[in-house]
Amino acid sequence: MLIEIHTSENERAASLLNFFKIAVSPANGRIFIEYENVDQVPSIYRILEEADIDVFNIELKQ
């Protein structure tokens, strides 16, 4: 399953989240993270928020 994230600074966000299995789509400016548990979403959001990165959208994909 994937988490799709759109932020104000996708490259910086991707570098902060690189301990997850991650891919960045340059075509649509989204970050995709493989997740094992939906409980990871708040942690990801918190990491980005603490780095002053605006999160525009987070979606769970299957």
Side-chain angles (χ1 to χ4, degrees):
M1 294 187 283
L2 291 174
I3 300 170
E4 179 181 335
I5 304 171
H6 182 216
T7 73
S8 61
E9 300 178 58
N10 284 336
E11 287 186 31
R12 192 168 138 228
S15 70
L16 290 170
L17 300 171
N18 67 358
F19 51 89
F20 291 103
K21 291 182 183 178
I22 190 169
V24 178
S25 172
N28 66 8
R30 302 292 196 263
I31 300 168
F32 296 93
I33 299 174
E34 279 188 42
Y35 71 96
E36 298 171 9
N37 188 321
V38 73
D39 293 338
Q40 291 175 315
V41 174
S43 297
I44 291 168
Y45 184 82
R46 192 170 27 258
I47 290 168
L48 298 174
E49 186 178 54
E50 288 175 1
D52 288 327
I53 295 174
D54 294 326
V55 178
F56 300 132
N57 193 30
I58 296 180
E59 292 184 35
L60 302 179
K61 305 281 187 175
Q62 292 192 7

